[in-house]
Amino acid sequence: SGIFFTLMVGQDCKEPEPVGPPPEWRDTCMYLWGDVLHSMLTLYQTITLESWAEAIARPTARFKPWILPFILWFQWVTTFGLLNVIVGVICESTL
């Protein structure tokens, strides 16, 4: 998923204004989605639910509104999957 977000959002961060983001958001776009490592760190921040709406979803949705369902889907699947594993380990260890 880091590669997907880098290709869908990060590649356009380098483009000029008609295709790419406005100049005031270009640095933030490169910081969040500029390469695969930054995209993976951004997605990790989304999983931990640490200011994901203010720092990630809203700025990205201003530039690419169609990517918001993908961010929400990723967050929903990974957060509930991680919670399921943690609860499973706790229940298994107590039995």
Side-chain angles (χ1 to χ4, degrees):
S1 36
I3 295 170
F4 171 77
F5 281 100
T6 302
L7 291 174
M8 294 295 115
V9 181
Q11 294 300 316
D12 290 340
C13 293
K14 302 169 188 162
E15 297 295 325
E17 177 93 42
V19 175
E24 64 271 5
W25 196 66
R26 185 157 301 161
D27 292 336
T28 305
C29 183
M30 289 299 294
Y31 179 73
L32 293 176
W33 309 108
D35 58 14
V36 176
L37 180 62
H38 283 104
S39 293
M40 289 172 60
L41 289 171
T42 302
L43 291 172
Y44 178 74
Q45 183 178 353
T46 303
I47 292 171
T48 61
L49 305 175
E50 178 60 36
S51 71
W52 69 275
E54 295 173 22
I56 297 167
R58 287 185 185 144
T60 304
R62 272 189 237 126
F63 169 53
K64 299 255 183 195
W66 56 268
I67 202 76
L68 194 57
F70 291 104
I71 293 174
L72 293 174
W73 178 83
F74 177 82
Q75 179 187 19
W76 186 77
V77 167
T78 54
T79 301
F80 285 114
L82 183 63
L83 244 117
N84 191 16
V85 168
I86 291 171
V87 169
V89 167
I90 290 172
C91 289
E92 186 69 29
S93 65
T94 58
L95 294 178

